[in-house]
């Protein structure tokens, strides 16, 4: 017959194992929860009106960034479509050795704007906050606006020139001034695609922007955002 003290120790051990299991499950859910509950990428990424109809707060974030930094909403969204296809937690694919051994990622880029660790750190110190997240659309649009304003100041690129803003975004202001993008066909192609997408997004937004400016109950004409 087991002694009471042995039963107590067995019960305590069982309780501790259960508690530890729940702690591990909670930790996994916490780490993956942001990705789990992140918005799905828009179904029609070729139409900015449909993008904002699916995610109307994205319009507010992009408009706030435009008001603050000067990069148009259409340009911001064209950048994000190019960089991440509106996937919040996307990162560059790892290299695999022998087909199955995971190796390092080619860069630290992450999130909607595919910002890398060093420049994201600069953004958080200079313009964002310590709690800014690359997986947040609000912070991603603000980051793009901040970066393009810096490209304007450091490399003299007009904020209405999305193609060359993207070259500086990819290469940095120093690389842009040295013309490093000219020897990279994939960067040239991406810049041209962004210019075309910006033009298309802007034309679409001109026809539908009013519905996002005045969608809240307290946004009554003539006090809607303009």
């Amino acid at each position: 017959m087991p002694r009471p003290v042995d039963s107590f120790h067995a019960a305590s051990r069982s309780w501790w194992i259960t508690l530890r299991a729940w702690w591990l499950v909670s930790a996994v859910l916490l780490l993956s929860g942001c990705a789990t509950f992140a918005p799905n990428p828009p179904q029609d990424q070729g139409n900015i009106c449909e993008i904002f109809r699916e995610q109307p707060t994205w319009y507010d974030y992009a408009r706030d960034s435009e008001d603050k930094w000067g990069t148009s909403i259409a340009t911001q969204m064209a950048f994000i479509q190019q960089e991440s296809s509106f996937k919040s937690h996307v990162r560059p694919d790892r290299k695999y050795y022998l087909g199955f051994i995971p190796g390092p990622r080619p860069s630290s880029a992450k999130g909607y704007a595919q910002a890398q660790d060093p420049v994201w750190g600069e953004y958080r110190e200079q313009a964002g906050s310590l709690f800014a997240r690359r997986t947040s659309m609000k912070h991603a649009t603000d980051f793009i606006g901040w970066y393009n304003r810096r490209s304007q100041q450091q490399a003299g690129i007009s904020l209405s020139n999305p193609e060359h803003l993207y070259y500086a975004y990819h290469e940095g202001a120093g690389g842009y001034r040295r013309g490093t993008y000219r020897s990279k066909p994939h960067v040239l192609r991406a810049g041209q695609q962004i210019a075309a997408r910006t033009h298309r997004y802007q034309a679409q937004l001109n026809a539908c922007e009013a519905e996002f400016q005045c969608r809240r109950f307290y946004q009554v004409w003539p006090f809607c955002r303009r």
Side-chain angles (χ1 to χ4, degrees):
M1 179 177 180
R3 292 178 300 170
V5 65
D6 292 336
S7 298
F8 174 77
H9 286 158
S12 298
R13 180 177 177 80
S14 176
W15 177 84
W16 172 246
I17 291 173
T18 302
L19 181 63
R20 202 163 106 181
W22 275 108
W23 183 86
L24 289 171
V25 170
S26 299
V28 170
L29 290 175
L30 180 63
L31 291 172
S32 63
C34 291
T36 301
F37 296 106
N40 290 325
Q43 293 184 352
D44 184 358
Q45 298 187 13
N47 190 319
I48 198 171
C49 300
E50 294 302 323
I51 292 170
F52 288 150
R53 285 174 185 137
E54 285 191 41
Q55 300 294 337
T57 57
W58 289 4
Y59 171 82
D60 297 331
Y61 301 150
R63 179 62 186 267
D64 288 343
S65 177
E66 180 183 42
D67 292 343
K68 184 177 180 181
W69 302 111
T71 293
S72 73
I73 294 172
T75 299
Q76 294 173 52
M77 301 308 283
F79 269 50
I80 291 173
Q81 200 287 327
Q82 183 72 36
E83 292 296 282
S84 67
S85 297
F86 300 103
K87 297 174 183 176
S88 61
H89 287 70
V90 69
R91 302 182 68 178
D93 292 334
R94 290 184 181 277
K95 297 179 179 179
Y96 282 84
Y97 301 105
L98 302 178
F100 65 95
I101 302 174
R105 298 183 190 275
S107 80
S108 60
K110 179 182 178 181
Y112 285 118
Q114 287 295 280
Q116 298 193 44
D117 290 349
V119 72
W120 186 257
E122 292 179 42
Y123 162 71
R124 293 204 305 177
E125 290 177 4
Q126 297 178 17
S129 75
L130 294 178
F131 301 103
R133 295 177 292 110
R134 283 173 282 187
T135 55
S136 162
M137 181 62 76
K138 179 178 181 178
H139 299 142
T141 52
D142 193 66
F143 170 80
I144 290 171
W146 167 80
Y147 196 99
N148 286 346
R149 174 65 65 84
R150 191 170 76 161
S151 295
Q152 180 194 44
Q153 294 170 343
Q154 295 180 352
I157 306 170
S158 169
L159 293 178
S160 61
N161 188 341
E163 180 177 348
H164 283 258
L165 286 172
Y166 182 76
Y167 296 151
Y169 188 81
H170 194 278
E171 301 293 297
Y176 176 82
R177 288 193 297 266
R178 293 191 300 273
T180 56
Y181 62 93
R182 296 191 184 99
S183 62
K184 299 179 179 180
H186 66 289
V187 177
L188 291 170
R189 184 166 56 251
Q192 293 162 5
Q193 290 171 345
I194 279 183
R197 188 176 299 115
T198 296
H199 180 76
R200 183 169 65 252
Y201 277 177
Q202 188 60 60
Q204 294 164 348
L205 191 60
N206 290 342
C208 70
E209 188 170 13
E211 69 182 88
F212 308 110
Q213 294 173 325
C214 213
R215 74 178 192 280
R216 300 182 186 277
F217 73 92
Y218 56 82
Q219 294 173 319
V220 180
W221 187 90
F223 305 105
C224 299
R225 299 184 66 167
R226 297 295 180 189

